[in-house]
């Protein structure tokens, strides 16, 4: 099961249109951006969340402001790196590098995108078995889906395996 | 993600319907507040729980549309 069906065709079209426009003008044009169009949903087994370990994946661009480099948010072709931070990180230790959403909401209440406290409460209530100790964070302006597949997805899988999780929650921004 | 059950919630219905994740919730919130309004923990929990509840089902799961503006 492919995450992106017809990858080769998607990549060729992306280069011919979106990348070529950017190379010519230095600007992006989402009128010529080829959105992924899958036809088949992946198969997968259910889990009993109350007996599972859950990994939080956030694309809000969160990073530890005192010890990590911010994401390259102004990059019009995207930043495909990731940061890791502990699930019990205080919100005051986080900053968010992502230029493609309005930060007024996350500044007022980080749980609109990074639900650390809600998830911790759900563990206390027995709804979730446990949380993976490390959050996977990236900055979700990532127009090049081939780079998402080649760089971000393997990194998420590595984290999921190394933390021995049975489930993952993605909260896009 | 092979062998790992995944679920997502997104305000961007177009992307969810096009990318077809195994378990997805389309939330009629705004960009930048996927899980609900700031300082509205009840709404945030509702959206989060609707999404996480899908993990109890084998994928593929029909895309769920949650209209929190009603």
């Amino acid at each position: 099961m492919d995450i992106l069906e017809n990858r080769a065709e998607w990549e060729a079209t992306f280069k011919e249109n979106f990348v070529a426009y950017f190379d010519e003008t230095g600007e992006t044009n989402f009128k010529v951006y080829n959105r992924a169009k899958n036809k088949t949903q992946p198969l997968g087994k259910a889990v009993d969340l109350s007996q599972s370990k859950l990994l939080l994946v956030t694309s809000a661009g969160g990073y530890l402001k005192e010890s990590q480099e911010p994401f390259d948010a102004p990059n019009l072709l995207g930043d495909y790196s990731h940061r890791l931070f502990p699930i019990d990180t205080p919100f005051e230790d986080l900053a968010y590098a992502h230029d493609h959403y309005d930060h007024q909401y996350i500044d007022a209440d980080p749980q609109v995108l990074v639900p650390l406290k809600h998830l911790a409460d759900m563990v206390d209530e027995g709804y979730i078995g446990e949380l993976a100790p490390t959050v996977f964070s990236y900055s979700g302006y990532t127009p090049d889906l081939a780079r998402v597949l080649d760089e971000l997805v393997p990194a998420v899988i590595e984290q999921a395996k190394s933390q021995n999780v049975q489930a993952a929650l993605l909260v896009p921004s | 993600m092979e062998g790992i059950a995944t679920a997502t919630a997104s305000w961007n219905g177009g992307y969810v319907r096009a990318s077809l994740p195994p378990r997805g919730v389309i939330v009629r919130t705004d960009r930048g507040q996927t899980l609900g309004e700031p300082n509205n923990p009840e709404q945030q929990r509702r959206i989060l729980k609707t999404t996480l509840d899908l993990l109890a089902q084998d994928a593929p799961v029909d895309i769920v549309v949650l209209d929190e503006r009603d």
Side-chain angles (χ1 to χ4, degrees):
Chain A
M1 186 70 62
D2 293 330
I3 296 173
L4 173 62
E5 298 171 17
N6 302 314
R7 172 183 170 155
E9 180 186 338
W10 182 91
E11 202 165 359
T13 305
F14 176 68
K15 287 177 179 169
E16 286 167 16
N17 296 308
F18 189 84
V19 175
Y21 186 94
F22 179 81
D23 288 344
E24 191 175 317
T25 66
E27 297 176 356
T28 55
N29 178 4
F30 278 87
K31 289 180 182 171
V32 300
Y33 182 71
N34 49 319
R35 182 182 286 184
K37 286 179 186 159
N38 287 336
K39 293 179 180 170
T40 308
Q41 273 184 289
L43 303 172
K45 281 287 182 192
V47 294
D48 176 354
L49 194 55
S50 70
Q51 302 297 316
S52 301
K53 187 190 286 187
L54 179 77
L55 171 69
L56 173 61
V57 180
T58 163
S59 74
Y63 64 98
L64 294 168
K65 58 188 178 186
E66 295 297 330
S67 59
Q68 294 177 333
E69 287 292 314
F71 294 95
D72 184 11
N75 189 331
L76 293 175
L77 294 180
D79 180 345
Y80 301 82
S81 65
H82 67 277
R83 310 286 183 270
L84 304 172
F85 58 80
I87 189 76
D88 58 356
T89 299
F91 282 124
E92 55 266 31
D93 291 354
L94 293 172
Y96 306 92
H98 192 315
D99 284 359
H100 297 268
Y101 67 83
D102 187 338
H103 284 226
Q104 66 168 309
Y105 309 117
I106 199 166
D107 289 345
D109 179 1
Q111 297 227 89
V112 299
L113 290 178
V114 188
L116 303 180
K117 290 183 179 174
H118 287 318
L119 293 176
D121 289 344
M122 288 173 163
V123 171
D124 291 343
E125 295 158 11
Y127 175 73
I128 299 171
E130 67 181 298
L131 299 175
T134 301
V135 175
F136 188 98
S137 175
Y138 70 103
S139 188
Y141 175 74
T142 50
D144 188 341
L145 300 182
R147 290 193 63 187
V148 171
L149 293 176
D150 291 342
E151 298 174 41
L152 276 170
V153 170
V156 173
I157 291 172
E158 181 186 342
Q159 276 305 311
K161 286 183 173 174
S162 69
Q163 298 192 69
N164 194 28
V165 305
Q166 291 78 49
L169 170 69
L170 168 62
V171 182
S173 49
Chain B
M1 212 186 296
E2 66 181 21
I4 296 162
T6 64
T8 187
S10 176
W11 57 269
N12 193 329
Y15 273 97
V16 173
R17 292 189 192 285
S19 59
L20 291 178
R23 300 173 191 81
V25 175
I26 297 169
V27 192
R28 300 207 188 283
T29 53
D30 290 330
R31 185 195 296 251
Q33 52 174 346
T34 305
L35 296 179
E37 300 162 349
N39 304 310
N40 188 342
E42 293 82 10
Q43 182 190 45
Q44 295 165 9
R45 288 267 309 211
R46 205 160 49 238
I47 294 170
L48 203 48
K49 190 160 182 307
T50 299
T51 307
L52 292 171
D53 278 349
L54 299 183
L55 293 166
Q57 300 179 49
D58 286 340
V61 177
D62 287 344
I63 302 297
V64 173
V65 179
L66 190 60
D67 196 343
E68 282 287 331
R69 286 178 175 155
D70 286 347

